[in-house]
Amino acid sequence: MSVKTWWRQVDPGFGLVVAIAFIALWPFLHITSLPQGTDAELHIFRLVELSQLVRGGELYPRWAPDFYHGYGYPIFNYYAPLTYYVGLLVELLPRLDAVDGVKFVLVLGLLLAAIGMYGFVRDNWGRRAGLVATAVYLYAPYLQYVDPHVRGVAPETFSFGIFAIALWSLDRLGREKSGGRWITAVFTTAAVILTHNLMGLLFFGLLCGWVVWRWGNWRLEIGDWGQVGARFWLLPTALAVGLALAAFFWLPVILERHSVNLNTLIGQNDNYDFHTHFLSLRELLAPSQRLDWGATEAAFSLNLGIAQWVLGGLGLVLLGLRRVKEASHLLFFAIAFFVLTFLMLPASTFLWEATPILPFFQFPWRLLGGAAAMLAVLAGGGTAVLLQQRSWLTAVFVTLPILLGLPLSVPAPWDDFGPANLITMTEIELRGRWLGTTSTADYVPVTVEVIPRRQEKVVENFFLGLPPQRLNLDALPDAATATWETVTPLHFRYTVTSPKPFPLRLFHFYFPGWRATVDGEPAEIDLGLPEGFMVVSVPAGTHVVEFKFGTTPGRTIAWGMSGVALLLTLLLGWRQSRQSTNHQNDHAKAQRRKEKQSIFAPLRLCVKFFTHSTSAEPLTSSEWWVLAAVVGLTAVYLLILQPLNLLHDSSSGFVVESADHAAFADFDSQIALIGYDHAAERLRPGQTLNLTLYWKAEQKLDINYQVFVHLLSTEGVLVVQSDKLNPGDFPTRRWPQDKYVPDRHQLTLPTTLPPGEYTVAVGLWVQTEGWRLPLLGEDGVQLGDNFVLFKIVVE
């Protein structure tokens, strides 16, 4: 078979998918680098560390030796590894770095989301339905903008793509047994688990639920248990084997969960407390906000998207009227959508409190991605019959999500990330923005009772391009000498000479897997408390002391499970291939053997994955109209809307273009309040006042100020307040002078609050010293120490 023939077998709908995805991918494609200050920064430096380890011979490290001021910690033992290795494939290329690697992960994740959603919906409800589902999924606000741009969570963004690909792969396996489909289903299932800890749990659960649901569908359709079993057994087996294949990651996480600090992952009345992150139905239904390039962080909505609600809702209505194809199949996605939506509402608080694993999700709105996937299937599958009857609607339904997603396609340009290396990493740790790419001491060994102060002798080698020197030289006895070498990044060797026995101390945390030897004989590792550093007793004389990171029984078992799963995957794949081969005639066998010997065999296998017996036909006239509409909209976006800055605001000076109320409150000529938004002026006891303040630095700030919002009675008595350590969750010392800072607050009124008129006032203060910034008038004279915004009436 020629390459030309193979090409003809590829569904041209995938070309449409790429065209649909272009606007969503464009910001990453045309803006160089990635921004600082999002979670992308953390993933970049993890990739930097992984690259150092792999280049040093540690192919699957569980320990990151250079984080935490060179003391190390086991972040790679607990954090899903797949996206870092995907990024590493790019980072290892000449002239590319970790920033390029993480950007590749983000782009690939979005592209896989489009391809996987299209393939799954196409195979079940047709090509037109697949195109609609692709647009609805990819341009859901959380997928298009919030997760990749605002949060920069590359693994989570990648998980949206891997889930869609895995769902499609399992569906293909259920339709036709083959070795290739079996192997693809197993590996994509494992990839779901290996991409992101929490989303892997969610999406694996959805895959399991879908498989069970399909079993029920087939049971009703076929009626014969034997036939159902013959058709069904590969799907749960693929899930089980895929789970086992990923055991090298998740089993040590479970077995060694008590070896590190995980308590900080669940907050109490702080940013990581799920109680503070539920969404209202109004928020879920809200339209996306117009971005403002004049803000340090443009305002955005945690919503599902208007187009998603309209098209997904239409699918739900048609499902309810049973005017859909494969209604029983589509019903699963409807149920899953309602469950995920309910879990984002405050009414589900009792479930979050009663289910131990849910609080680790931290943000109920994190389920927006899963809900968007369910809505996309409902939009495509639910409108499939309608699209067959009125094919012209396909172009309308595809372009609607793209059109409404245009305001989110113009994120503010970001500055160059700068050098992505260990020097930058250790400088960030010195400034205290984070330690070890986490901000709450999570995953630090439990033996560390107190985070030790930074030792410049340890980190100074970073600036010389050398491994850290972790030996505590000050703890050596008088007249003792020591030399050291780094055999690998996780293997240190010290040659010491001492006139008397002594404890050799390292500036290095202990964690299960670290082993020590003295002259090749195992030595016990003691703990230097409260820091949790490793200590080994060394006799008098000259000795060679080595520290090496190795395995544990749990990790060995995990690798064994994954090894067995890999062999089983290949064995069953070979068996399925043999069974498929036995059904072919001699000519087909000979042709296939010839093709396998061709240099194009890998290309043939790749093409085969994207071919489908019912989808390799040319585009229909309605689908050409879809292409024309998408290309036309893309051209307008690239040539008119984006160059003329018509899709975003550009606030400057002391004006916020989108603010409901303009203001200018000058706090000591350092920070000005330049506007505010609030939703209501009449409230009842127990209701919440939502308030957004807009601050701007008037000069370079040397102090981190705190903000307060007070609700005062007519007598000036404090009723309720909202305080923040950092206004806008952004330390004021880091505020730029050319952008304003949005600062969101919520004031929940006491249920016993008497009716009457109350005043809302704001101000800035220094918590450690207890003084407030003075409020100045136009003449520079102090007016007070707070600014009255407005009054509310409590009914």
Side-chain angles (χ1 to χ4, degrees), residues 581-636:
T581 301
N582 291 336
H583 287 88
Q584 304 295 327
N585 57 41
D586 294 339
H587 175 75
K589 291 180 182 178
Q591 181 66 25
R592 185 162 50 256
R593 284 196 297 269
K594 181 179 178 180
E595 290 168 358
K596 287 181 179 179
Q597 294 170 359
S598 168
I599 60 173
F600 298 108
L603 176 61
R604 177 179 175 274
L605 292 174
C606 181
V607 170
K608 188 175 181 180
F609 184 79
F610 293 101
T611 58
H612 190 269
S613 59
T614 61
S615 302
E617 60 209 26
L619 296 178
T620 64
S621 60
S622 63
E623 290 157 359
W624 278 108
W625 277 110
V626 171
L627 179 61
V630 171
V631 171
L633 185 57
T634 303
V636 171

Side-chain angles (χ1 to χ4, degrees), residues 369-675:
M374 302 302 104
L375 263 185
V377 177
L378 289 168
T383 61
V385 174
L386 184 62
L387 296 175
Q388 289 177 351
Q389 297 170 347
R390 296 174 176 83
S391 59
W392 59 271
L393 284 174
T394 309
V396 176
F397 288 177
V398 169
T399 54
L400 181 62
I402 304 175
L403 184 64
L404 295 183
L406 286 180
L408 299 181
S409 66
V410 285
W414 48 77
D415 296 330
D416 184 78
F417 186 84
N421 53 38
L422 295 180
I423 295 176
T424 306
M425 179 273 295
T426 194
E427 288 176 341
I428 292 176
E429 291 194 329
L430 175 62
R431 293 195 294 270
R433 196 154 84 223
W434 42 256
L435 282 173
T437 67
T438 52
S439 57
T440 56
D442 34 315
Y443 306 120
V444 172
V446 293
T447 50
V448 179
E449 299 175 359
V450 175
I451 301 296
R453 62 182 179 86
R454 181 183 179 93
Q455 297 287 336
E456 292 301 327
K457 294 180 180 179
V458 175
V459 300
E460 63 185 5
N461 277 5
F462 285 142
F463 298 89
L464 302 175
L466 299 173
Q469 195 298 98
R470 299 180 173 89
L471 181 61
N472 187 340
L473 297 175
D474 294 335
L476 294 178
D478 293 339
T481 60
T483 60
W484 54 86
E485 64 174 310
T486 299
V487 182
T488 73
L490 301 182
H491 183 184
F492 321 133
R493 180 180 296 143
Y494 302 93
T495 301
V496 294
T497 301
S498 174
K500 61 181 180 179
F502 73 100
L504 184 146
R505 301 177 182 273
L506 292 189
F507 291 117
H508 193 285
F509 295 146
Y510 172 75
F511 182 71
W514 279 105
R515 292 178 175 83
T517 61
V518 176
D519 299 329
E521 296 296 324
E524 182 179 355
I525 297 179
D526 298 320
L527 288 176
L529 297 177
E531 300 92 346
F533 289 149
M534 294 193 290
V535 180
V536 170
S537 297
V538 180
T542 299
H543 303 279
V544 176
V545 184
E546 298 188 61
F547 295 85
K548 187 175 183 180
F549 190 73
T551 188
T552 62
R555 295 172 206 163
T556 301
I557 293 172
W559 279 115
M561 286 180 60
S562 295
V564 171
L566 179 60
L567 291 175
L568 185 60
T569 301
L570 298 177
L571 178 62
L572 288 178
W574 172 79
R575 180 184 174 187
Q576 291 298 320
S577 296
R578 287 289 301 271
Q579 290 177 349
S580 299
T581 301
N582 291 336
H583 287 88
Q584 304 295 327
N585 57 41
D586 294 339
H587 175 75
K589 291 180 182 178
Q591 181 66 25
R592 185 162 50 256
R593 284 196 297 269
K594 181 179 178 180
E595 290 168 358
K596 287 181 179 179
Q597 294 170 359
S598 168
I599 60 173
F600 298 108
L603 176 61
R604 177 179 175 274
L605 292 174
C606 181
V607 170
K608 188 175 181 180
F609 184 79
F610 293 101
T611 58
H612 190 269
S613 59
T614 61
S615 302
E617 60 209 26
L619 296 178
T620 64
S621 60
S622 63
E623 290 157 359
W624 278 108
W625 277 110
V626 171
L627 179 61
V630 171
V631 171
L633 185 57
T634 303
V636 171
Y637 164 73
L638 291 176
L639 301 178
I640 300 176
L641 299 177
Q642 188 183 39
L644 296 180
N645 296 324
L646 298 177
L647 295 173
H648 62 85
D649 294 330
S650 298
S651 297
S652 60
F654 294 100
V655 175
V656 178
E657 295 180 12
S658 61
D660 292 342
H661 305 277
F664 187 82
D666 182 6
F667 287 91
D668 201 28
S669 299
Q670 297 192 57
I671 298 176
L673 177 72
I674 60 175

